[in-house]
Amino acid sequence: MTLSLQYPIYGPEIQCPHCRQVIPALTLTDTYLCPRHGAFEANPHNNELVHLQSGRHWRRWEGEWYRQHTHPDGIRFEIHEALDRLYTQGYRATKVIIANRYKDLVSTYLERNTSWRGNSKSVPRLYGLPVEFSPDIPKEPHWDVINFDLEKEPGVPKRYPYFRLFE
Ligand SMILES: [Zn+2]
């Protein structure tokens, strides 16, 4: 048996997605054990890490864990947090790009700008920002892991960032 086969897919140790402490794999299992957060199981079939206690899922991209959402509130909350962070850094977001795999999950929750002029094109919005979905996964594999991206521009808006006047 080679050494790599003794460890789960993410190797002999990982950073705990909750506390970022480096935690070891239990040899010959798919489990990592955090002294504070308990067991995480790596699924070799879909490359997901599952926190057994909470059922939360993560995927990893360039050393960072990205929580995988199963409820629209989860990803909406994460986007809201990111918008807050951006605002405190002196930027404002101009667009939200959400990973295509969440399209079904979030679509019914997006704001539709039903125009009184009967405009044919209604751009879905979230927190007042136009929403797009990511391109196909084979072209940009990180979109299979990350949840969303924000397009931004410098400058603090005059008003609270999420209340922008629509066209
Ligand atoms: Zn932990």
Side-chain angles (χ1 to χ4, degrees), residues 16 18-19 34 36-37 40:
C16 171
H18 279 302
C19 63
C34 174
R36 283 177 61 197
H37 296 104
F40 293 83

Side-chain angles (χ1 to χ4, degrees), residues 106-145:
V106 301
S107 277
T108 54
Y109 288 81
L110 297 176
E111 304 143 17
R112 300 264 161 197
N113 196 10
T114 42
S115 166
W116 52 273
R117 282 175 297 192
N119 241 335
S120 52
K121 250 198 171 175
S122 83
V123 180
R125 286 173 186 270
L126 184 64
Y127 303 121
L129 296 166
V131 171
E132 276 180 18
F133 291 94
S134 69
D136 287 345
I137 287 160
K139 277 192 220 156
E140 302 190 32
H142 68 290
W143 277 115
D144 199 25
V145 177

Side-chain angles (χ1 to χ4, degrees), residues 82-91 156-157 159-162:
L83 288 170
D84 268 345
R85 252 193 328 271
L86 210 61
Y87 184 56
T88 57
Q89 290 164 357
Y91 290 95
V156 177
R159 306 174 54 164
Y160 194 68
Y162 313 141

Side-chain angles (χ1 to χ4, degrees), residues 44-77:
H45 302 294
N46 60 11
N47 288 346
E48 286 190 347
L49 188 72
V50 182
H51 186 218
L52 294 183
Q53 222 170 358
S54 66
R56 290 179 175 181
H57 292 226
W58 285 268
R59 292 178 193 173
R60 196 167 70 173
W61 183 261
E62 293 183 346
E64 287 289 322
W65 292 112
Y66 292 88
R67 169 104 184 265
Q68 304 298 304
H69 296 287
T70 51
H71 193 277
D73 282 344
I75 185 163
R76 281 197 299 174
F77 184 70

